[in-house]
Amino acid sequence: MSSAAAAPDGAGRSPYHGKAVGLAVAAAVGGFLFGFDSSVINGAVKAFTEQFELSDALSGFAVAVALLGCALGAWLGGRLADRWGRTRVMFLGAVLFFVSSILSGIAFGVWDLILWRFMAGLGIGIASVIAPAYIAEIAPAAIRGRLGSLQQLAIVLGIFAALLADQVLAVATPGEGADASGELWFGLEAWRWMFMVAVIPATVYGILALRIPESPRYLVAKGRRDEAVDVLTQVLGSRDAAQDRVGEIEGTIRADAELASQATLRGPRFGLLPVVWVGILLSVFQQFVGINVIFYYSNTLWQAVGFAESDSFTYSTITAVTNVVVTLVAIALVDKVGRRPMLLAGSAGMALCLGVMALAFTQSTEVPDPANAGEMMTQLPGGWGTTALIAANLFVVFFGASWGPLVWVLLGEMFPNRIRAAALGVAAAAQWVANFLITISFPPLLGAFGATVPYLMYAVFAVLSFFFTLWKVPETKGVELEDMESVKVVRRTRESTA
């Protein structure tokens, strides 16, 4: 192999990596759609709940139904990617999100809104599977972790962009203050425009999906060897290196053909292969530590500390910006430190922070809500409020620097080639289902037990995630995708297959 070929895999400073970064950024826009949609609904939910006169249960379902669509989209996306190709499925996700954004904005009632929200979830679920798979398959091993982390960076940027768009649209309504129920252009309320503005990132994603090249691994699998060499030459900087890499891919495809009976997710562990269960549990733990409770229901914590409900944009912005910054830290460290050490540190930090939050809320009291006559609100006395506030933000830091981005990195790279897309689809579907369960379970848990019990439960899951990582998650830093099947969990002097 020529020196030009060696540089990208070794030093990680090849000028040709810029092309890989560009392709990864384009694919990661799918993550932006997820972040944008999950946040944009928060600005609209109160307005459409009042307009359609919804019960709390129906309003909550209208919000959470997109997560069920995401689960189905993720499961379908992994299978379609192996048949149609990565970029075609990306385009399908963009179209679904584009159409659903317009239809949600002109919804006549709650039931068609629920249908269009489910459609949006399908598009997002598809994008959530394809982005990490495509990035892993296009990226040189030396920078694959950093590029895979772009998925999470895109998600948190999407959350911030939607937050900003919601605030701008609400403030633009006539009269004083921000009101998502107020009419804007063409007689449509601001909350409808909050949905329709999502056509902008959906359009960008669709255009990029049509312009970026197909995954080299998919091309080789379909017998389009020369095209695969051309794509890899762009990111490796040497046609010789690209030829060698294609040869490796062809070798794994031939081996997979000989093991055709194993090109399935079925296995001896409760019906699935062990590595598939590792992916599923990574996804579940990422959600079961309660990160979306912090994002979706942060008002409870902030009001308990003493912030007014009208300050929601300010404290939501603080959380969103914090998440962006720590994700950048993760991107800088993942290919230097490795996946396992960062996950272990993140689990320990999250468990400690969640434990402190649970302890703080044992001291809470119920006081009359000054903004809503006849209603009560939780309040933390003295220094307990500040303690809970610091712990909550440190929790976001630990999550954003570890489990947030690194789960997407691992899901994109840890599966053998022959089952990557399908296994990623199953793991991502599990993530969306876990997200749904956490999202709908927090309000009843909060009402029945207060904040202490749910935060303590999330702390327990954070502890479990530490031991799960220690025992079952392999280190994949610098390993070529063609060699993933031989990767083992290394713990002290003992080794066990993942």
Side-chain angles (χ1 to χ4, degrees), residues 23 36 40 83 144 154 161 165 206 265 268 293 306 315 363-364 370 419 423 437 458 464:
L23 295 176
F36 193 95
V40 81
R83 296 182 182 180
R144 192 177 60 239
L265 306 187
V293 167
Y315 51 72
Q363 307 301 310
S364 66
I419 62 169
L437 294 175
Y458 306 146
L464 292 175

Side-chain angles (χ1 to χ4, degrees), residues 152-439:
Q152 180 67 14
L153 179 62
I155 290 172
V156 297
L157 287 174
I159 290 172
F160 178 73
L163 179 71
L164 184 61
D166 281 358
Q167 183 70 6
V168 169
L169 290 169
V171 171
T173 56
E176 296 183 4
D179 183 10
S181 298
E183 287 190 3
L184 274 177
W185 310 287
F186 305 109
L188 297 176
E189 297 87 354
W191 69 264
R192 296 182 181 273
W193 287 102
M194 290 175 184
F195 286 124
M196 289 191 288
V197 75
V199 302
I200 298 174
T203 300
V204 171
Y205 186 52
I207 293 172
L208 290 173
L210 293 174
R211 293 181 62 86
I212 61 176
E214 184 52 81
S215 159
R217 283 166 180 80
Y218 174 81
L219 292 173
V220 173
K222 296 301 180 181
R224 296 155 64 181
R225 189 182 197 279
D226 291 342
E227 292 179 58
V229 171
D230 291 340
V231 173
L232 284 171
T233 300
Q234 296 178 58
V235 297
L236 296 178
S238 164
R239 195 163 185 85
D240 289 341
Q243 294 276 10
D244 290 343
R245 187 66 55 80
V246 168
E248 294 172 1
I249 296 171
E250 288 175 329
T252 61
I253 290 175
R254 284 193 297 269
D256 291 344
E258 295 173 1
L259 300 172
S261 62
Q262 297 181 26
T264 175
L265 306 187
R266 295 181 180 179
R269 302 288 177 85
F270 302 101
L272 293 174
L273 294 171
V275 70
V276 179
W277 278 115
V278 171
I280 289 173
L281 289 173
L282 277 170
S283 290
V284 169
F285 279 125
Q286 188 201 50
Q287 297 302 316
F288 273 18
V289 296
I291 185 62
N292 283 322
V293 167
I294 299 296
F295 287 130
Y296 296 166
Y297 302 107
S298 58
N299 288 14
T300 300
L301 172 62
W302 289 83
Q303 289 182 55
V305 175
F307 282 80
E309 188 175 1
S310 58
D311 294 326
S312 60
F313 177 70
T314 301
Y315 51 72
S316 295
T317 300
I318 292 172
T319 302
V321 171
T322 300
N323 211 6
V324 171
V325 172
V326 296
T327 302
L328 292 172
V329 172
I331 290 173
L333 294 179
V334 61
D335 285 317
K336 297 177 182 178
V337 177
R339 285 61 159 159
R340 272 170 55 87
M342 293 178 69
L343 287 177
L344 290 169
S347 294
M350 290 189 300
L352 177 61
C353 293
L354 289 165
V356 169
M357 291 174 68
L359 177 63
F361 274 97
T362 62
Q363 307 301 310
S364 66
T365 58
E366 295 295 313
V367 299
D369 186 349
N372 299 287
E375 295 187 11
M376 304 295 286
M377 63 176 288
T378 302
Q379 189 173 68
L380 292 173
W384 287 109
T386 302
T387 299
L389 186 60
I390 293 172
N393 281 281
L394 284 177
F395 168 73
V396 172
V397 169
F398 280 111
F399 178 88
S402 60
W403 280 79
L406 296 192
V407 167
W408 290 113
V409 172
L410 284 164
L411 292 182
E413 66 186 12
M414 65 183 289
F415 300 116
N417 281 342
R418 65 181 179 274
I419 62 169
R420 177 172 296 112
L424 210 166
V426 169
Q431 185 172 134
W432 292 114
V433 171
N435 189 339
F436 175 80
L437 294 175
I438 289 296
T439 300

Side-chain angles (χ1 to χ4, degrees), residues 31-103:
F32 186 93
L33 296 185
F34 160 46
F36 193 95
D37 185 76
S38 65
S39 189
V40 81
I41 188 71
N42 292 335
V45 61
K46 182 178 180 181
F48 72 66
T49 296
E50 293 175 353
Q51 182 166 338
F52 295 145
E53 300 179 347
L54 306 182
S55 65
D56 290 342
L58 194 53
S59 175
F61 183 72
V63 172
V65 70
L67 299 176
L68 297 180
C70 289
L72 179 59
W75 182 79
L76 288 174
R79 283 152 178 77
L80 292 176
D82 285 334
R83 296 182 182 180
W84 297 355
R86 281 40 168 169
T87 56
R88 289 181 180 176
V89 177
M90 283 184 200
F91 184 72
L92 173 62
V95 170
L96 287 171
F97 193 68
F98 181 96
V99 173
S100 67
S101 298
I102 295 175
L103 294 176

